[in-house]
Amino acid sequence: MPISSLVLTLDASPESRALALSELARDPRITLGPPVEGRWLPVVTETASPYEGEELAESLRELVGVSFVDVVMVDFSEEER
Amino acid sequence: MDRRDFLKGSAMTAATLAASRLAYGQDRAAVEPPSTARQGGDVQWNKAPCRFCGTGCHVQVGVQNGKVVAIAGDQKAPVNKGLLCVKGYHVGLALYGQDRLTTPLLRKGDKQVPISWEEAIDIIARRVLKDPKGFALYGSGQWTIPEGYAASKFVKAGLGTHNIDANARLCMASAVTGFLATYGVDEPAGCYDDLDACDVLITWGNNPAEMHPVLFSRVIDRRSRGEKVTLIDIGTRKTRTSGFADHSLRFKPNSDLAIACGIAHLLVENGTYDKAFVEANCAFRASSTPPTLEGKAISFEEYRELLKPYTPEKVEQLSGVSQKDLRMLAGLFGRRDVRITSLWCMGPNQHTQGTAMNSLLHGLHLLSGHFGKPGDAPTSLTGQPSACGTVREVGTLSHALPGGRVVAKAEHRAQMEEIWNVPAGRVSEKIGYHTVEMWKRFSTPTEQGGDVHTVWVQVTNPAQSLPNTHKLVDPSRKLADKFLIVSDVYPTATTRIADLVLPSAMWVEKNGMVGNSERRTQQWFKLVQPPGQARDDGWQLISVAHRLLELGFAGMKDKDGRFLFDVKGKDGRSVPIWEWSHYYDVNVDEHLFEEYRKTTRIKHKDLAPYQEYVKARGLRWPVVQQPDGSWRETRFRFSGFDDPYVKKGRDIQFYHSTSHDDRAQIWFQPYEPPPESPDSEYPFWLCTGRVIEHWHTGSVTMRIPQLRRAMPQAYVEMNRADARKLGVDNGDLVTVETRRGKLDLPVWLGGRGEPVEGSLFVPFFDERLLINELTLDAHDPFSKQPDYKKCAARVRRRERVAEKQK
Ligand code: SF4
């Protein structure tokens, strides 16, 4: 169950930001942190596989209201070596 | 809390920190002290520059009951105006890792066993006495200015050799040679104020969003205030900086020279260069035979001819940068109505053509006249807190002397003999060993020419940071007559293989002064005691010098028979500063600095008296006294409106010109292929570098739990297309291999950086995954700086490697 830390940079427009936030809140794999200045949103994702994690990050990049996705950390410690 | 909750909590901490970082100046929480802060009235606050990078932010350090309990951005500091990056917020915790070194340790068989300081100092002195010429000191841009000055004096005035070099050779040396070749004097003419005034910021192989985040924030803040700043990122890999760029240009490794020549070609051919500026202030140069840093003078027509092959078509072919983008860059440089600042750091420096590339970058700004006005500047950044102050200014390099002097010049040696009050001829004319050569000789058997028998390392971690460590470090550990001494604060890859380990005081556990990337000299006082028996690096050096004196080594006496590091107290009597109990009876830093200050005038790097730095949050040299007795710093060097050394009435004056006519040199330097390129056997490019959370080899930042959790281990970044071809995914282990070694690393796709197809990126902070065992030790012929940014590699899925090895 890989865990990743991301930061989403939200759009300047309040409408599209609200849209993005409601979309994000619907996904049980995503935990939202408190946005910094309303614009930079810390996010933790928990997925079944690293591949799913990557797909999720990719889909967030496409999400309306999200202008940029930064991957801060991917925890590999629970991966089988 | 179960492990998953813990991991999730850590992940959220990391994301929140990163979000604050991205928000930069807009994060109000950022100016609050970190969670360790207690706001009680008994917390004493004092200023100190941050311990980490060359940006030189100032922090307020909160001390309570003899412990640093809080850190806050220093609102009064012009560099950071109260802001800090994630490393800066946590700098206070750097002191409190669980495994601080607290006692001297001597290797006996397989073990390192505690010994007394007296014994340790005596062992070092006797190693020096064995053969002073075979003793080498290897230091760093983390040495404070007084420490570096003491180290330089110890070796150059005391031992009469120049076997001293610093790790800045690995990060800044090509910048130095680029400046010298262009202006005849080292260090940027501009300063950070350029970032507040530029219309265009070009980052050349540079990722300031992670490596100099507080500086980058100045630009991003301007944008969020509605100002237009065009950001152009030119690099070999997509980085966090690219994410903010208006134009993000990818080039093939080593081909940055072709891009710079291509821009110059277009400026000349289109007639859009700044004719008036060039005619008044510049001359042209090309390589001489044999090659020298001064090269040979050429005419403008010869320069034009040499640039002719660098047509947009040709440059596109060499570099992969499109003709359209090249024309866009040339178009911007050709405009007089915009101000352009270029930033660079390790990309152009860690380059076998580093001097050439640095000269070309300066040349573009000179040719186009984008120089000397606020916002118009070619600016080279440093990675360490005192790479400029301690290494470049103090001259802790094998060819250098303090104050911008060089060993090669007899009059410079004589000047230093006078300042040091040592007999004529004491300062040797024989240049010492630069970093790569020093370690090569240390790792070569004595009978085969390996004439360095002892290396003393202070404040750096060469077993992790040198390139090709299999060749430069490991062999020495198998040779019985080689002895490695390491002073450090935590166990590192280097202390673990050392014969003698000395526990050092760090940061605010001692007095200090450092010099940042914009010529700013900063000062702080000791605020807390070091743990156990940890002691200042400066004291360690002075103590060994005094032991040598006791053992009858004449070099540690000056011409008048006084100890080289003699310091008098208020009563006029010598203070025994070589005894730890008396080291802080006087301010040794102040004494060393005031002596060093005398050396700074010939290159017009004038420093103010020590006490002026006590009052200030740093001052940029030249710092010149005013008629009213106050001291004034200089922001824009060589510019008539600000630099006191420019003759009245002149706009610009390059008063250290190598051609002695007040002109800077615009160099032609051709593109040349890299020393090692991918081939069918090793088809990838490998690039190494840094990450925002960790400072260099991670020896300190990995002790800070928040930073360690945010970035726990090294990884290999690769392009998704390559990953697909290899059949690997995020988190899969792969083996990265070069002709020098191999390493297993987890793959990270779509992370903060993304290399182009056919290339890899691995950060070097992780001591468990030593990527520098794989890198090349090929180096620039002038600066001797190795190229960590490109070598040929292959990468394989780990299972396949294992199958093959069966
Ligand atoms: S690490 Fe560098 S940018 Fe960050 S706070 Fe320290 S000096 Fe400033």
Side-chain angles (χ1 to χ4, degrees):
Chain A
M1 293 283 279
I3 288 174
S4 302
S5 309
L6 314 175
V7 178
L8 310 187
T9 304
L10 302 177
D11 280 357
S13 125
E15 294 77 33
S16 47
R17 262 195 255 176
L19 207 66
L21 284 169
S22 70
E23 271 297 311
L24 292 164
R26 269 207 286 274
D27 192 327
R29 299 169 301 174
I30 298 175
T31 311
L32 302 180
V36 178
E37 286 295 309
R39 183 91 196 264
W40 286 274
L41 184 68
V43 155
V44 171
T45 66
E46 198 175 4
T47 50
S49 68
Y51 182 71
E52 190 193 331
E54 194 201 330
E55 281 210 319
L56 178 59
E58 198 55 55
S59 70
L60 296 179
R61 281 190 184 93
E62 307 298 319
L63 200 67
V64 176
V66 172
S67 60
F68 201 77
V69 177
D70 279 283
V71 181
V72 178
M73 185 191 80
V74 178
D75 184 85
F76 301 113
S77 58
E78 294 207 334
E79 292 309 296
E80 298 209 348
R81 291 278 155 85
Chain B
M1 187 192 282
D2 73 6
R3 184 171 153 71
R4 292 218 60 71
D5 286 344
F6 172 76
L7 281 175
K8 280 183 74 173
S10 303
M12 188 54 87
T13 305
T16 308
L17 284 169
S20 308
R21 244 163 26 226
L22 284 168
Y24 296 121
Q26 301 154 41
D27 176 17
R28 251 175 249 107
V31 294
E32 297 296 326
S35 54
T36 47
R38 280 161 248 171
Q39 294 297 320
D42 52 350
V43 175
Q44 296 290 320
W45 292 92
N46 275 289
K47 63 151 191 163
C50 170
R51 164 70 183 79
F52 298 119
C53 83
T55 303
C57 301
H58 243 80
V59 293
Q60 280 289 324
V61 183
V63 176
Q64 189 182 41
N65 301 329
K67 237 188 140 179
V68 173
V69 294
I71 292 293
D74 192 333
Q75 305 280 358
K76 290 190 198 146
V79 169
N80 51 309
K81 302 177 178 97
L83 301 173
L84 295 169
C85 82
V86 66
K87 288 192 288 295
Y89 298 138
H90 294 106
V91 64
L93 298 175
L95 305 176
Y96 302 117
Q98 295 304 303
D99 55 346
R100 278 290 296 265
L101 293 165
T102 54
T103 183
L105 300 168
L106 179 68
R107 179 171 298 283
K108 290 196 174 149
D110 289 346
K111 290 210 175 75
Q112 291 173 330
V113 297
I115 57 166
S116 69
W117 266 111
E118 289 68 36
E119 206 182 335
I121 297 296
D122 188 62
I123 289 170
I124 304 172
R126 289 180 192 281
R127 285 300 300 185
V128 176
L129 275 182
K130 178 177 136 79
D131 169 23
K133 291 192 170 38
F135 171 85
L137 193 51
Y138 185 61
S140 132
Q142 300 156 63
W143 258 336
T144 67
I145 290 171
E147 284 167 354
Y149 180 71
S152 186
K153 187 172 180 181
F154 175 81
V155 172
K156 292 169 188 266
L159 303 184
T161 74
H162 297 291
N163 286 335
I164 175 171
D165 220 47
N167 66 0
R169 180 77 73 178
L170 311 175
C171 70
M172 285 319 302
S174 302
V176 175
T177 42
F179 279 114
L180 290 174
T182 306
Y183 310 102
V185 67
D186 181 29
E187 301 200 39
C191 61
Y192 299 161
D193 302 30
D194 290 310
L195 299 169
D196 306 331
C198 63
D199 302 300
V200 180
L201 178 68
I202 308 181
T203 57
W204 298 83
N206 188 18
N207 179 15
E210 283 201 85
M211 302 321 149
H212 295 85
V214 171
L215 295 184
F216 194 63
S217 75
R218 284 165 85 142
V219 179
I220 300 306
D221 282 354
R222 285 182 58 202
R223 276 186 168 180
S224 46
R225 288 196 298 270
E227 291 181 45
K228 181 165 164 49
V229 188
T230 303
L231 179 57
I232 303 173
D233 161 59
I234 307 180
T236 57
R237 145 183 182 260
K238 180 179 146 276
T239 64
R240 180 166 281 170
T241 303
S242 323
F244 292 91
D246 300 277
H247 304 274
S248 195
L249 279 46
R250 298 285 76 89
F251 66 87
K252 295 180 198 161
N254 226 57
S255 69
D256 42 357
L257 280 87
I259 298 168
C261 287
I263 297 169
H265 167 91
L266 286 169
L267 287 170
V268 168
E269 290 310 316
N270 298 340
T272 49
Y273 69 99
D274 190 335
K275 269 195 201 81
F277 184 92
V278 170
E279 274 170 25
N281 303 307
C282 305
F284 295 91
R285 293 261 143 181
S287 292
S288 55
T289 322
T292 66
L293 202 51
E294 294 193 350
K296 65 165 188 209
I298 54 170
S299 66
F300 174 75
E301 277 315 315
E302 286 170 297
Y303 175 69
R304 181 182 197 154
E305 275 308 303
L306 288 165
L307 286 174
K308 279 232 161 101
Y310 294 90
T311 59
E313 298 73 22
K314 178 73 181 169
V315 173
E316 180 179 279
Q317 193 193 334
L318 287 171
S319 69
V321 168
S322 72
Q323 295 178 44
K324 185 167 152 265
D325 284 334
L326 200 70
R327 288 182 201 281
M328 177 271 295
L329 286 166
L332 283 170
F333 273 105
R335 280 172 61 177
R336 301 284 94 82
D337 61 331
V338 291
R339 302 233 167 152
I340 303 177
T341 292
S342 287
L343 284 186
W344 69 94
C345 195
M346 293 310 129
N349 291 344
Q350 293 177 335
H351 197 316
T352 47
Q353 297 292 310
T355 306
M357 187 56 203
N358 270 268
S359 307
L360 286 174
L361 288 171
H362 294 296
L364 279 181
H365 278 263
L366 294 167
L367 185 66
S368 59
H370 287 288
F371 186 96
K373 302 177 285 300
D376 265 337
T379 297
S380 148
L381 298 172
T382 49
Q384 300 187 81
S386 201
C388 291
T390 304
V391 182
R392 296 161 73 170
E393 294 164 29
V394 171
T396 49
L397 294 165
S398 59
H399 68 281
L401 290 166
R405 292 172 181 79
V406 290
V407 172
K409 289 196 177 160
E411 82 257 34
H412 287 181
R413 298 197 301 273
Q415 286 162 357
M416 285 316 301
E417 283 162 352
E418 201 180 319
I419 290 169
W420 282 331
N421 192 35
V422 294
R426 171 69 62 75
V427 177
S428 170
E429 60 183 17
K430 186 173 175 272
I431 287 171
Y433 299 132
H434 62 80
T435 295
V436 171
E437 191 62 26
M438 178 191 288
W439 287 94
K440 204 152 74 182
R441 285 174 185 262
F442 186 54
S443 281
T444 302
T446 310
E447 61 281 7
Q448 289 168 31
D451 56 359
V452 174
H453 60 78
T454 302
V455 175
W456 184 2
V457 175
Q458 287 200 326
V459 274
T460 185
N461 183 10
Q464 187 171 341
S465 61
L466 283 172
N468 197 0
T469 50
H470 283 314
K471 176 176 156 189
L472 296 182
V473 181
D474 303 351
S476 74
R477 306 298 69 219
K478 297 185 191 104
L479 299 169
D481 61 341
K482 306 281 180 170
F483 197 78
L484 180 62
I485 304 157
V486 183
S487 304
D488 213 325
V489 297
Y490 287 110
T492 65
T494 317
T495 65
R496 278 191 264 282
I497 58 169
D499 298 293
L500 179 61
V501 178
L502 305 175
S504 291
M506 77 181 290
W507 194 45
V508 292
E509 293 167 352
K510 59 186 181 184
N511 290 340
M513 298 184 88
V514 287
N516 80 347
S517 301
E518 59 162 356
R519 296 175 273 111
R520 183 184 292 275
T521 311
Q522 322 207 58
Q523 177 278 347
W524 76 93
F525 285 123
K526 174 174 177 166
L527 303 178
V528 294
Q529 289 295 338
Q533 294 185 52
R535 295 179 184 178
D536 302 30
D537 294 291
W539 173 81
Q540 295 175 26
L541 284 159
I542 290 169
S543 203
V544 170
H546 195 263
R547 183 74 190 119
L548 280 164
L549 184 79
E550 289 171 340
L551 291 170
F553 186 79
M556 292 303 155
K557 273 190 212 154
D558 70 8
K559 264 199 308 207
D560 303 321
R562 279 198 307 254
F563 179 40
L564 272 191
F565 295 98
D566 184 52
V567 169
K568 299 261 189 299
K570 283 204 180 91
D571 58 2
R573 292 170 46 183
S574 296
V575 181
I577 57 170
W578 53 90
E579 290 171 20
W580 178 241
S581 56
H582 290 288
Y583 192 62
Y584 276 91
D585 286 359
V586 282
N587 185 346
V588 176
D589 266 26
E590 184 165 4
H591 284 269
L592 290 167
F593 181 77
E594 289 299 341
E595 185 179 307
Y596 162 60
R597 198 160 83 84
K598 294 183 202 151
T599 74
T600 59
R601 296 290 166 84
I602 69 155
K603 287 282 184 179
H604 300 89
K605 297 187 174 194
D606 315 33
L607 298 171
Y610 181 86
Q611 289 302 331
E612 294 300 312
Y613 297 96
V614 173
K615 291 183 251 166
R617 301 298 196 267
L619 294 167
R620 287 166 283 193
W621 56 256
V623 189
V624 174
Q625 195 161 27
Q626 303 301 292
D628 65 359
S630 64
W631 294 82
R632 180 186 176 276
E633 63 170 356
T634 303
R635 296 186 304 150
F636 300 97
R637 208 180 184 203
F638 307 131
S639 295
F641 74 91
D642 195 46
D643 184 339
Y645 285 111
V646 172
K647 276 197 202 109
K648 281 216 161 41
R650 297 213 32 189
D651 284 345
I652 296 282
Q653 187 189 3
F654 294 110
Y655 47 77
H656 283 292
S657 165
T658 53
S659 45
H660 309 292
D661 55 359
D662 291 343
R663 289 173 184 276
Q665 313 300 320
I666 298 176
W667 279 77
F668 168 74
Q669 296 282 5
Y671 161 79
E672 279 178 23
E676 188 181 81
S677 294
D679 53 22
S680 55
E681 218 185 330
Y682 293 91
F684 284 87
W685 286 107
L686 169 65
C687 176
T688 67
R690 298 174 282 172
V691 294
I692 188 169
E693 293 83 357
H694 291 297
W695 194 69
H696 292 192
T697 63
S699 60
V700 173
T701 46
M702 282 294 260
R703 263 81 183 187
I704 298 173
Q706 288 85 338
L707 299 178
R708 189 179 61 243
R709 272 187 235 127
M711 180 53 77
Q713 73 165 95
Y715 50 84
V716 55
E717 275 176 12
M718 66 169 73
N719 190 278
R720 285 166 197 280
D722 290 324
R724 261 196 303 275
K725 275 184 240 159
L726 283 161
V728 293
D729 217 324
N730 252 330
D732 285 355
L733 272 188
V734 294
T735 299
V736 176
E737 187 174 2
T738 70
R739 290 185 173 86
R740 293 153 293 280
K742 60 183 174 184
L743 189 62
D744 291 341
L745 290 156
V747 171
W748 191 7
L749 302 175
R752 59 179 68 168
E754 194 173 335
V756 295
E757 229 177 308
S759 63
L760 312 167
F761 173 84
V762 180
F764 75 95
F765 71 85
D766 191 341
E767 68 169 7
R768 296 154 303 182
L769 298 166
L770 294 175
I771 191 63
N772 282 341
E773 290 181 346
L774 278 62
T775 50
L776 269 181
D777 58 314
H779 49 74
D780 177 274
F782 296 106
S783 68
K784 319 293 185 211
Q785 179 165 354
D787 193 329
Y788 292 87
K789 297 293 183 196
K790 44 197 159 308
C791 66
R794 62 184 170 215
V795 53
R796 288 179 286 181
R797 278 179 57 181
R798 195 163 167 248
E799 293 80 352
R800 289 193 188 151
V801 177
E803 280 158 22
K804 208 176 163 196
Q805 283 168 346
K806 267 182 205 164

